Amino acid sequence: MNRRKFFDLLVQSLAITGVSAITLAGLFPALFSKKRSIHKVVLGTEEELFSDNSYIIKHIDQQTFIIKKGKDGSIEAFDAACTHAGCPVQWNDSKNSFLCKCHGGVFDANGSPVSGPPKKPLNKVNLMKRNQTQEIILYLDNSHS
Ligand code: FES
């Protein structure tokens, strides 16, 4: 094998390896992504959480979450970090909106941007209610933090 053939073979091998890695990463993203773990946080029962207010604020692992009960009775949890530049948003019950004081961003009750600089919705956090105890549990995915 001459030098030219060896070099061509080397380039082809590297190209095949690169394409294979990209294909595998697409098919099995968990293999190539940061280690993922779901962190469960038991918040309490609906009655305990919303006895005084329609929303609560929870600080967990240096993150702030807003858990609110909608007018239809649905319960949703949001990461309070504004999607514009990360300032904490606040829930305003009378305006039925999340407000960000840093640059005037406004999000609707579903976390969708309404006005101001934010273009992306607030990040929702999965939650569920335990059947037996009726406790509300947050499921925090640490692969994004
Ligand atoms: S950080 Fe919220 S509007 Fe800029």
Side-chain angles (χ1 to χ4, degrees), residues 80-89 99-107 115-118 122:
C82 180
T83 53
H84 174 233
C87 290
V89 299
L99 307 176
C100 180
K101 290 182 177 172
C102 283
H103 312 103
V106 179
F107 300 84
S115 65
L122 294 174

Side-chain angles (χ1 to χ4, degrees), residues 52-63:
D52 298 333
N53 223 333
S54 64
Y55 70 98
I56 61 166
I57 297 170
K58 278 281 179 196
H59 302 282
I60 304 167
D61 297 338
Q62 299 177 357
Q63 278 185 285

Side-chain angles (χ1 to χ4, degrees), residues 120-138:
K120 289 197 257 175
L122 294 174
N123 292 311
K124 282 191 180 179
V125 179
N126 290 328
L127 57 76
M128 67 160 280
K129 193 188 285 186
R130 266 190 190 145
N131 281 339
Q132 291 179 330
T133 62
Q134 296 295 299
E135 290 170 314
I136 295 167
I137 303 166
L138 275 186

Side-chain angles (χ1 to χ4, degrees), residues 10-126:
L10 181 66
V11 169
Q12 286 174 355
S13 298
L14 290 174
I16 289 170
T17 304
V19 169
S20 299
I22 290 168
T23 303
L24 284 173
L27 291 173
F28 306 104
L31 293 176
F32 292 85
S33 65
K34 198 165 106 178
K35 190 172 180 184
R36 183 177 186 192
S37 70
I38 303 295
H39 181 175
K40 286 198 278 188
V41 178
V42 179
L43 298 175
T45 66
E46 193 174 329
E47 291 72 30
E48 291 167 345
L49 298 175
F50 304 110
S51 61
D52 298 333
N53 223 333
S54 64
Y55 70 98
I56 61 166
I57 297 170
K58 278 281 179 196
H59 302 282
I60 304 167
D61 297 338
Q62 299 177 357
Q63 278 185 285
T64 303
F65 300 93
I66 298 172
I67 300 101
K68 67 177 190 66
K69 187 173 181 177
K71 292 181 178 19
D72 62 354
S74 63
I75 298 171
E76 292 182 302
F78 297 86
D79 184 338
C82 180
T83 53
H84 174 233
C87 290
V89 299
Q90 295 175 336
W91 173 249
N92 184 310
D93 231 2
S94 62
K95 293 184 177 174
N96 202 34
S97 302
F98 294 95
L99 307 176
C100 180
K101 290 182 177 172
C102 283
H103 312 103
V106 179
F107 300 84
D108 69 15
N110 297 315
S112 298
V114 174
S115 65
K119 300 294 177 230
K120 289 197 257 175
L122 294 174
N123 292 311
K124 282 191 180 179
V125 179
N126 290 328

